[in-house]
Amino acid sequence: MLPCLVLICYGNEVAKALMFPLGYLFFAVPYGNFLVGPLRTVTARISVRLLQLSGATVFLNGHLIEVPIGSFEVAGACSGIKFFIATTALGTLYAHLFYRSWRRRLIFIFAALIVPIIANGLRVYFTILIGQTFGMRYATGTDHMVFGWQFFGTVLILLFLVGWRWRQDPLPADPAGPV
């Protein structure tokens, strides 16, 4: 509604100048609950596949990952939905600030959609490996939460560092334009 109000009250020129900030308000709308189920499934499958490639004995039953040391459930909170939405929002902002071409912007936004999904599968994989290597107490509780936040912070920084390589300098200001 706010973009429409800006258009009605201030006209096309102001609405066009404010297009990105007004469009970015989309991320202020709570959404994403419909993605929790599919993200849980993808996360479980990625982590099980990585465990299989590591030579671990693993069974997948829905969202329950069973290994010799115990069972791990990819619960709704472990689906990665919060990181997915946050990375998409920050990736969109990053693309707008550091790229001029639409092609580079869309490629980076696409990366910001894919990277958190893969990263969440890796996070669950590493959590299970930590549980198998050091014991279940390190794979649950506070250690589990701290590892998750550190892991996602690292992934986000790496995404931005990779994106920095292809940044485009802003267009020079028009000296004949309004001051």
Side-chain angles (χ1 to χ4, degrees), residues 64-145:
L64 189 66
I65 300 169
E66 299 181 34
V67 293
I69 196 168
S71 298
F72 294 84
E73 180 185 7
V74 180
C78 298
S79 69
I81 187 68
K82 292 178 183 177
F83 185 60
F84 177 78
I85 292 171
T87 304
T88 303
L90 290 172
T92 301
L93 179 62
Y94 188 92
H96 176 73
L97 293 175
F98 294 105
Y99 302 122
R100 286 190 321 265
S101 77
W102 281 101
R103 182 172 181 250
R104 288 188 190 200
R105 286 178 178 174
L106 291 174
I107 289 170
F108 190 82
I109 292 170
F110 180 74
L113 289 168
I114 300 302
V115 166
I117 295 170
I118 295 168
N120 198 47
L122 285 168
R123 181 190 62 82
V124 170
Y125 165 70
F126 288 132
T127 301
I128 294 171
L129 283 183
I130 288 169
Q132 286 186 322
T133 305
F134 300 107
M136 289 293 280
R137 70 183 181 135
Y138 294 107
T140 59
T142 304
D143 293 331
H144 170 78
M145 298 294 287

